[in-house]
Structure formats: C-alpha cells, structure tokens
Amino acid sequence: MSNQFPSAFFSNISFQDWDFGDFVLKTRLAQALEKGIAHYPIYRSLRFAARQDLQTLFDRAATELGWRAYRLRSNFMMFDGDGIFVTVRGSHKTEYCSCFFSIWAESIPLTEKAQQMLLNLAGDTRIVEPMFSIDWHFLTAKRELESASIEELANDVLEDEAYPELSGGIYSFIERYLDAPETVLVLQGAPGTGKTRLIRAILGEISRRNGGEAQALYTGDKKTLESDEIFVKFITGRDDAFVVEDADHLLKPRSDGNENLHRFLAIADGVVRAQGRKIIFSTNLPNIKDLDDALIRPGRCFARIHTRPLSQSERDSLLERLCQGNTEHQRAATVRLALPTLSTWSLADIYQACAKAKEA
C-alpha cells in the first residue's frame, strides 16, 4: 500500500500543524479501508515526564529509535516505522519536560516494544513522583476544539493556617470532598487568596489515590464553554476532574441571562452524570448570592469555599509556619508586609514576602 500523497491534494487543503499527524493517520486508514486490508488495529498512549531538556529528548528520539522521524515544530514530532506510527507532543518547564505519545501498530508485541523504547529515552531521568496532567482546551482560529497537555508535579504543600475558614484542616477537607458523592466544588474569592493552590492540591491528592497519575480537563475560555463538545469530551473521556478557572460569567444565575450553566447542571447531577468525577469552579465573584441556586444545591455541590485575605494574627500564624521557626526570616517577611494602609493580606503577598526573606 502506498503512503504517497498527490501534490495536487495538498494544494486543495489547509490545516493547522497540530492536525497533521491525524491527517496522515486517517489518510492511511482510508487507503487501507478502500483496499479491504487491516491497518494499525492496536492503539496505546504513553505519557511521562523527565528531568531533561525537551529538545535533547526529541533529538535522541529522532536519531536513536530507528524510525523515520518528522519534526513539524519544536514540540511536535511524528515517527514512521514498519508496522508502526507514533506522534508525540511535548512541553517544557524549568526543571523537566513532559511528553504524550500516541502509538498505532500492527500488533500488541510491536506496541509494547515501542512503549519500552520510548521509556528508555527517559531512563533514570524519568519522574516517578506523583504528577497530574492538565489537558488545556481552547478554540482554534477555525473555532475547532483543540487541547495542549501539561504535566505538573503534585508537590504542592498547603498549610492549614492559609485557609482558616476550613475547619479540620485543608487535607481533611480534600479527603472529604473526594470521598463525597457530590460533584461540584466552588472556590470563591479575590485574586491571590489561594484558589489555584487549593485546586492543585486537590488534583495532587487525586493523583496519589490513582497511584501517581491524574488527568484534569481544564479551560478558562468562555467561547469553549458555549458548545457541547468539551462537555461530551468530559463525559466520554477519562478525565478525573473538570476545572474551570475565572468562571464568573458561567456561575451567575440563569435568570440574569446565563445560557451556558445548564450544561454543567446536566453533568453534575442530571440525566448524564460525571460518574464520580469532580467539577471545580473558581470565581472572583464577591457575593455568594451571585451564584445560581441550582448549581449550589445540596446533593450537587459539596461546598462553597470563600477564600479571603488574612487578618494580622492569621498572617503571623501563617508566616510562623512558612518560616519554620526561623525568627529572622519571619521578622524580615513581616517588615516587607508592614504597610500602614493594610489591615488584611493576600496569600500571594505572604508567600512572596516569605520567599524574599529567605533569599536575603
């Protein structure tokens, strides 16, 4: 079977570069279907993070695997071999890179061999600590749903003093939420009051419960939430949680013209349910009454948490915890925060002051 594409065909199509691997695969499958033969009947995916540079890892993959390699851009590659076709998307952070491989092959042994070859690229640099992956969804210029996957270390440490409104402590709260039948959690508060830190801690705990892996579908894009596609993806996919940050427009009452909330109501506790997975909203709306009653009703919503700036005594308790008894660091951080116009302090300011004090 030929894998060649007529040049006239390319002149009549347009696609984003992230579509190209899918385009190649579907073209080959269409050719195989026309000829009445099987092609790539086995599919597997592989995800890992490694403490090495992404470009170095990609260069090694291109030269060491023995497959024909095609790099469309710095973080996307395709590999073509006898009976196997692989695409990989990568991302790079300061201390590590992460990769997501899609593997199509003619047999299970060939797939398993390919997985092991790819893991060998990471070797002892592979990160084995618990991680969670953020599947970030957005609309392309053609208004098509696309995503980018980002691996995050589940190493956030939260202090009870940072969330005095949570009785029993932060980790007890997270455990109760994950064990509860209710789906929805709403985090409401001003920027810098710890909403994102709390979301990361929840995803980290899901990862630990899953043996070191968790996947969250994520968006903050209003237009993405205006169609059913992302909701269908959540219901039919394997995401452990659906995270919507800065969801102010989404949580207001339907009586105020909110036309998109009904989709979340359906998957939170409606005809089509989230099947034990969690939906987490963060919002800067200042008033709890700004939320739609149907979303926060008992049986659907586990809790509405109002994150807030800390008072002076609460600030000092948190600083003592963060500075671990180092009075010099605590004193330096307090000086940085001591402005006569302030009577409350955000978590972001407190953490920054503490970090600067330790660096000095």
Side-chain angles (χ1 to χ4, degrees), residues 44-66:
R44 297 290 188 274
S45 63
L46 175 66
R47 186 192 305 270
F48 66 73
R51 289 188 172 91
Q52 58 176 288
D53 179 72
L54 179 65
Q55 300 312 315
T56 301
L57 189 146
F58 270 26
D59 289 347
R60 291 182 55 217
T63 57
E64 297 178 13
L65 292 175

Side-chain angles (χ1 to χ4, degrees), residues 132 154-160 162-163 165-185 187 194-210 214 240-241 276-280 302-303 305 307 351:
F132 58 87
N155 59 357
D156 296 83
V157 178
L158 272 65
E159 307 295 348
D160 292 341
Y163 300 89
E165 66 276 10
L166 294 179
S167 60
I170 182 66
Y171 290 101
S172 173
F173 171 80
I174 292 174
E175 288 182 1
R176 295 197 308 273
Y177 173 48
L178 296 183
D179 290 339
E182 292 87 359
T183 299
V184 173
L185 174 65
L187 306 178
K195 299 187 296 296
T196 298
R197 285 178 182 269
L198 181 51
I199 291 172
R200 288 179 58 89
I202 292 170
L203 298 180
E205 181 57 29
I206 293 175
S207 174
R208 293 181 184 89
R209 291 186 174 204
N210 289 351
D240 298 288
R277 295 172 291 175
K278 301 301 183 181
I279 302 174
I280 307 171
F302 174 76
I305 301 301
T307 60
Y351 277 103

Side-chain angles (χ1 to χ4, degrees), residues 209-267:
R209 291 186 174 204
N210 289 351
E213 294 183 358
Q215 183 169 308
L217 191 152
Y218 174 94
T219 190
D221 183 8
K222 179 179 179 180
K223 292 182 179 179
T224 299
L225 298 168
E226 290 176 351
S227 71
D228 293 332
E229 189 172 356
I230 193 170
F231 299 91
V232 172
K233 181 176 177 59
F234 179 62
I235 288 296
T236 60
R238 296 183 177 182
D239 298 285
D240 298 288
F242 193 163
V243 177
V244 184
E245 286 202 286
D246 300 324
D248 302 11
H249 63 282
L250 188 65
L251 301 180
K252 290 183 177 181
R254 287 166 292 171
S255 59
D256 291 348
N258 185 351
E259 298 179 355
N260 298 315
L261 182 60
H262 69 278
R263 297 182 178 90
F264 279 104
L265 298 179
I267 63 175

Side-chain angles (χ1 to χ4, degrees), residues 3 28 39-40 65-68 79-86 104-107 109-111 113-114:
N3 287 329
R28 292 186 178 182
H39 201 33
Y40 300 142
L65 292 175
W67 300 326
R68 294 176 293 277
F79 301 95
D80 191 22
D82 294 337
I84 193 162
F85 180 72
V86 179
W104 293 266
E106 299 294 350
S107 68
L110 190 57
T111 307
K113 180 181 178 181

